[in-house]
Amino acid sequence: MTVSAPSASISAQDKGFFGHPRGLSTLFFTELWERFSFYGMKAILGLYLWTAVSEGGLGVDKALALSVVAIYGTAVYMSGVAGGWLADRVWGGQRSTFYGGVLIMCGHIALALPIGITGVYLGLIFIVFGTGLLKPNISTVVGGLYGRDDTRRDAGFTVFYMAINIGGFVSPLITGALADGVGFHAGFAVAAVGMAAGLIQYRLGRKNLRGSAAVAPNPLHPNEKGRVYGLIGLIAVVIGALGVVSYVLGDVEGVILMISIMSIILPITYFTVMYRSKKTLPEEKPRVLAYIPLFVAAAMFWLIFEQSASVIAEFADSHVDNHVFGWEFPVAWFQSINPIMIIALAPVFAWLWLKLKDRAPSTPRKFAGALVLVGLSFVLMYFASNSAADGKVTPLWLVLMFLIMTCGELMLSPVGLSVTTKLAPKAFASQTMSLWFLAVSAGTGVAAQLVKFYTTSPSAYFFTLGGAAVVLGVALAVAAPAIRKLMAGVE
């Protein structure tokens, strides 16, 4: 019989990958290549949209381009709900991860074709659905490699998180150079090659996963399939109809607004359904409640953090001097600053949590610290924006901003992945991981509406958002004891 996760004893004996289960190696390199394709494309997407047609871009209005980049991130992570459901009820985490990778590769191929805005829309649709299948489920497979009480879990997720950032560091350097030297489509093409490499790696190393998330934990009964699939088709038709109506009434901005609204409604609905479900055990319900303030904090964090590829990319393009010793480097290279800092600092944070053990800050306090730091990074950009009024500013502003932001990220993102797998009701394992990514979706959904105000007054924009994050971080720190009580011993 295939099991969905190893027992604690088997997990403890498997130390084949630097003290961690061998399957972590397979997932590490698969995630590395998937993130290579994702961040490589994302680093040049905004530039492609707002760059003039005469220079190889599409010449889209800058405010609209910023919203498109933001709402793309919203849709990517929102689709994780469907991906999590399919993993829980139909395919299991392992197959969902593979199918998602195939769709992502098709999306990058569409972007690489010189067919204008049609290629952008078609490519983004493929990537949205593909990432929805892959992103939440690969993290669930990682969690399944460890027993519930395995103390290596947080460190394992931090190691896994490094894969994201190795791919995220290398890819903007390559796609940015290709976009500048050959053309944007060449950059998109190399992203497709990266995803293909990830799929090959996954198939070759799948045997090391030892059944983690290999089967659906809550499979559909044969009698349910016809009704459920019919309902899925109906939902797809309704969403498509809403998209058409939104486009007719408000053009692209109308569609963006619709997706932003859905990004707020969806997690509220999801929390309600999961909490009220009979499959959620009585002892699991307080943990669902504890997850709500962590979700809100994460949404605020990602609202700011995910603007690296939109607002910060535009600031770098328009206001930062990108010359070194007289040589002009690609603007997309700024997107590699955060990943290289993660690579450098992730081992430090992993060591710190292991060293502190029971003396480490609680999960709510880690989230609070992350919010304060990401808020301060935007407060710093307030001063950078004021300095830019006198001409282009030094890149050191962005380096310092990314340093502060990265420290916040390491206090929230790998820790959030880990605590999600521990707070999740058993019947909603993959779907709860999808809910974690809905925090990114909600944050970027709100950001898609807020970024329109950036072009009006950049300095006020940075200061307002940064200040709001700091205030929310302080409030979360105060509420931490009450949240820990609801978590019922989970850290």
Side-chain angles (χ1 to χ4, degrees):
M1 175 177 167
T2 303
V3 293
S4 60
S7 68
S9 60
I10 294 174
S11 173
Q13 293 167 9
D14 187 353
K15 300 179 180 180
F17 182 60
F18 298 103
H20 290 273
R22 291 178 182 86
L24 185 61
S25 171
T26 298
L27 300 173
F28 178 95
F29 289 106
T30 302
E31 181 76 352
L32 187 156
W33 283 112
E34 187 274 329
R35 292 289 91 180
F36 174 94
S37 68
F38 180 84
Y39 285 112
M41 179 277 290
K42 196 174 179 181
I44 61 176
L45 177 61
L47 295 169
Y48 178 51
L49 290 172
W50 67 63
T51 297
V53 175
S54 60
E55 298 175 16
L58 296 179
V60 176
D61 175 74
K62 192 167 285 188
L64 177 58
L66 291 173
S67 290
V68 169
V69 173
I71 209 66
Y72 157 66
T74 303
V76 160
Y77 291 105
M78 199 186 303
S79 68
V81 173
W85 184 89
L86 285 168
D88 275 350
R89 307 301 306 274
V90 183
W91 291 326
Q94 289 189 27
R95 278 196 292 167
S96 297
T97 296
F98 181 77
Y99 297 154
V102 172
L103 289 176
I104 291 168
M105 183 178 66
C106 292
H108 290 302
I109 291 172
L111 281 164
L113 298 175
I115 52 178
I117 197 68
T118 301
V120 172
Y121 291 148
L122 183 61
L124 295 186
I125 288 171
F126 272 120
I127 296 171
V128 162
F129 288 114
T131 306
L133 278 171
L134 185 147
K135 192 61 181 168
N137 295 315
I138 194 171
S139 298
T140 301
V141 180
V142 172
L145 295 175
Y146 298 89
R148 183 169 289 271
D149 298 322
D150 194 326
T151 58
R152 298 173 299 166
R153 181 185 288 254
D154 278 12
F157 270 102
T158 301
V159 171
F160 175 71
Y161 204 64
M162 285 185 67
I164 298 174
N165 293 283
I166 293 172
F169 165 66
V170 174
S171 56
L173 300 179
I174 296 174
T175 59
L178 286 171
D180 271 19
V182 181
F184 287 104
H185 297 294
F188 295 132
V190 79
V193 172
M195 190 64 253
L199 289 170
I200 293 169
Q201 143 70 25
Y202 185 75
R203 294 298 294 181
L204 292 176
R206 194 171 172 182
K207 62 182 181 296
N208 294 323
L209 302 181
R210 293 197 330 273
S212 173
V215 297
N218 183 26
L220 285 173
H221 189 277
N223 295 335
E224 293 182 287
K225 289 184 178 180
R227 178 181 60 83
V228 171
Y229 291 156
L231 181 61
I232 292 172
L234 178 62
I235 292 172
V237 170
V238 171
I239 292 174
L242 285 174
V244 171
V245 171
S246 300
Y247 183 81
V248 171
L249 295 177
D251 210 303
V252 176
E253 290 91 341
V255 177
I256 292 173
L257 178 60
M258 181 201 76
I259 298 174
S260 292
I261 293 171
M262 288 177 62
S263 74
I264 302 300
I265 293 175
L266 195 55
I268 293 174
T269 303
Y270 226 91
F271 271 114
T272 302
V273 170
M274 190 163 60
Y275 183 78
R276 298 181 64 180
S277 173
K278 294 179 180 179
K279 295 178 181 178
T280 301
L281 302 176
E283 61 269 24
E284 293 175 330
K285 289 183 183 290
R287 292 173 181 167
V288 174
L289 293 178
Y291 195 64
I292 294 174
L294 299 181
F295 179 92
V296 172
M300 184 65 195
F301 178 89
W302 296 119
L303 186 156
I304 292 178
F305 182 90
E306 286 295 324
Q307 293 186 47
S308 299
S310 55
V311 165
I312 299 302
E314 194 287 325
F315 185 86
D317 191 29
S318 302
H319 303 296
V320 177
D321 183 4
N322 60 324
H323 290 80
V324 177
F325 302 117
W327 173 65
E328 184 178 4
F329 61 88
V331 173
W333 285 13
F334 283 112
Q335 299 300 315
S336 289
I337 297 177
N338 167 252
I340 192 61
M341 288 182 173
I342 288 286
I343 294 168
L345 295 175
V348 176
F349 276 79
W351 171 84
L352 182 63
W353 303 145
L354 288 174
K355 185 73 174 177
L356 290 175
K357 294 183 180 178
D358 294 339
R359 293 178 290 116
S362 65
T363 295
R365 288 238 159 90
K366 289 175 183 175
F367 273 52
L371 273 178
V372 171
L373 287 171
V374 81
L376 291 176
S377 73
F378 256 39
V379 171
L380 178 71
M381 289 304 297
Y382 161 78
F383 295 104
S385 181
N386 286 338
S387 298
D390 300 324
K392 290 201 170 185
V393 299
T394 172
L396 292 178
W397 283 107
L398 292 186
V399 172
L400 183 55
M401 183 217 71
F402 276 119
L403 176 61
I404 298 171
M405 190 179 278
T406 298
C407 289
E409 183 184 6
L410 284 167
M411 292 186 70
L412 181 138
S413 193
V415 175
L417 287 170
S418 179
V419 77
T420 297
T421 65
K422 290 185 281 189
L423 289 177
K426 186 176 180 180
F428 294 90
S430 291
Q431 293 178 73
T432 308
M433 186 57 70
S434 300
L435 190 57
W436 166 250
F437 291 110
L438 277 184
V440 188
S441 180
T444 54
V446 174
Q449 302 306 313
L450 295 179
V451 291
K452 301 172 185 177
F453 300 103
Y454 165 77
T455 54
T456 303
S457 177
S459 58
Y461 182 85
F462 285 127
F463 189 81
T464 302
L465 286 185
V470 171
V471 170
L472 185 58
V474 172
L476 184 62
V478 172
I483 297 170
R484 287 189 69 192
K485 185 175 180 180
L486 289 171
M487 290 170 69
V490 171
E491 282 293 348

